């Protein structure tokens, strides 16, 4: 599903215009971004899941093109954990 398709579905289900649905979706995405920028930030959305930032340790790896060993720096990355309801929905899909 694309963003445009999601906007259309939100507009139809909520009985609002596509412009209002786009604004609502952009507000949600913006709130997730803002929350993740905070120190140890996370955001939990019931029946969807939790977005959070994880810390990755420095590690060694291999460049797949050259086979050369390299060091990968420590850093942070976004992580999404699906809720139980979302996992159940995925199990029921064909």
């Amino acid at each position: 599903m694309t963003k445009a398709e999601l906007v259309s579905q939100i507009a139809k289900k909520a009985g609002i215009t596509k412009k209002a649905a786009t604004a609502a979706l952009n507000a949600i995405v913006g709130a997730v971004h803002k929350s993740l920028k905070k120190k140890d930030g996370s955001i939990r959305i019931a029946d969807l899941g939790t977005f959070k930032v994880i810390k990755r340790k420095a590690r060694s790896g291999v460049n797949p093109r050259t086979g050369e060993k390299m060091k990968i720096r420590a850093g942070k990355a976004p992580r999404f954990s699906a809720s139980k309801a979302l996992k159940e929905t995925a199990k029921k899909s064909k």
Side-chain angles (χ1 to χ4, degrees):
M1 178 180 284
T2 65
K3 182 177 179 180
E5 292 169 336
L6 180 58
V7 166
S8 293
Q9 201 169 46
I10 291 169
K12 184 178 177 182
K13 294 275 184 179
I16 58 177
T17 65
K18 286 185 181 181
K19 187 174 181 178
T22 300
L25 181 58
N26 288 339
I28 292 168
V29 171
V32 170
H33 283 252
K34 186 176 180 180
S35 176
L36 293 181
K37 284 182 182 179
K38 294 179 182 178
K39 184 178 180 180
D40 298 325
S42 69
I43 185 166
R44 182 177 172 276
I45 302 171
D47 295 331
L48 184 63
T50 303
F51 295 90
K52 60 184 173 182
V53 175
I54 61 161
K55 295 177 184 176
R56 292 185 173 170
K57 295 180 181 179
R59 59 197 189 279
S60 60
V62 177
N63 183 328
R65 288 188 181 170
T66 64
E68 182 182 338
K69 290 187 178 184
M70 56 190 280
K71 290 185 179 180
I72 302 170
R73 297 181 300 189
K76 295 180 181 180
R79 183 65 45 119
F80 175 73
S81 300
S83 69
K84 184 177 178 182
L86 186 61
K87 289 177 186 177
E88 291 297 322
T89 300
K91 285 181 184 179
K92 293 177 185 176
S93 68
K94 292 183 180 180

